[in-house]
Amino acid sequence: MLKEHLTGTQIAYYIVCKRKLWLFSHQIGFEKYSDYVELGKLIDQESFKKETHKGVDFGDVKIDFIKVKDAVIVHEVKKSRKLEPAHIWQVKYYIYRLRKLGVNTSSGIIHYPKLFKKIEVTFSDEDEKLIENFEKEVREILASSPPPPINKPYCKKCSYYEFCYS
């Protein structure tokens, strides 16, 4: 059974790999065995400890932290920039979901603490239309058979690698 709302992780996986999206969404998970995933969690836990609005959850959405000024700014912490387009869409999805709840927000920041870098993310009306299309496509993928492996260079570091290629 499909949930009413998707998660930011599902949107990121949709951008990166439709097969990973399908497997993850059907509770076929290997993340708990991945050193890369564990390192990412550690970086998230150890970074920005002084933030007061850390670990913001609503429904299936879990935002690393927010800052409240004139508007809410969504912040996500990531290990590497290798999958940056997926990170950007994950943040935009969080902004989209908050806006649907009536929250005044249109921007976010992705932090890469290991790299001492950050990027700003701005949400537009066009992004809203794209996300609505992503949601429709994700639901179609989840209702079908698992997609085939994609065989990209980043697959070797994926927690599903052995499952897909053994």
Side-chain angles (χ1 to χ4, degrees):
M1 182 173 144
L2 295 176
K3 294 181 180 179
E4 181 182 354
H5 294 290
L6 301 175
T7 68
T9 301
Q10 286 175 304
I11 295 299
Y13 287 178
Y14 168 77
I15 301 297
V16 172
C17 174
K18 311 301 189 258
R19 182 177 179 87
K20 184 174 185 173
L21 164 67
W22 192 96
L23 293 167
F24 172 82
S25 298
H26 286 84
Q27 283 76 49
I28 302 171
F30 295 99
E31 284 90 352
K32 62 185 170 191
Y33 306 112
S34 170
D35 292 340
Y36 296 110
V37 172
E38 205 54 44
L39 178 59
K41 287 180 181 178
L42 183 62
I43 290 169
D44 179 40
Q45 290 170 359
E46 295 302 314
S47 302
F48 305 99
K49 286 184 173 184
K50 294 181 180 180
E51 293 301 327
T52 53
H53 301 295
K54 195 163 179 175
V56 176
D57 294 1
F58 61 94
D60 292 327
V61 170
K62 293 172 179 44
I63 300 171
D64 289 342
F65 67 97
I66 62 170
K67 288 196 176 181
V68 181
K69 295 186 179 181
D70 293 338
V72 170
I73 301 170
V74 173
H75 292 260
E76 278 294 301
V77 179
K78 300 295 182 183
K79 175 176 60 89
S80 154
R81 291 180 76 172
K82 288 187 175 114
L83 302 175
E84 192 168 278
H87 303 158
I88 291 169
W89 282 108
Q90 183 176 4
V91 168
K92 287 184 179 199
Y93 185 69
Y94 293 155
I95 294 167
Y96 168 82
R97 289 285 304 278
L98 286 168
R99 288 168 65 110
K100 290 292 181 190
L101 293 172
V103 175
N104 180 20
T105 181
S106 61
S107 66
I109 298 175
I110 303 170
H111 301 269
Y112 300 99
K114 275 181 49 180
L115 306 172
F116 300 102
K117 301 252 184 227
K118 66 181 180 179
I119 64 162
E120 293 186 23
V121 176
T122 305
F123 189 84
S124 70
D125 291 339
E126 182 63 27
D127 293 333
E128 183 170 349
K129 292 175 189 147
L130 287 169
I131 286 172
E132 288 170 355
N133 191 52
F134 290 171
E135 287 182 316
K136 179 179 177 275
E137 290 178 19
V138 165
R139 292 183 189 292
E140 289 170 3
I141 291 166
L142 299 184
S144 66
S145 299
I150 58 173
N151 201 19
K152 297 285 184 183
Y154 51 79
C155 289
K156 289 186 173 112
K157 292 187 177 182
C158 176
S159 59
Y160 292 91
Y161 180 76
E162 288 186 34
F163 181 84
C164 291
Y165 297 102
S166 58

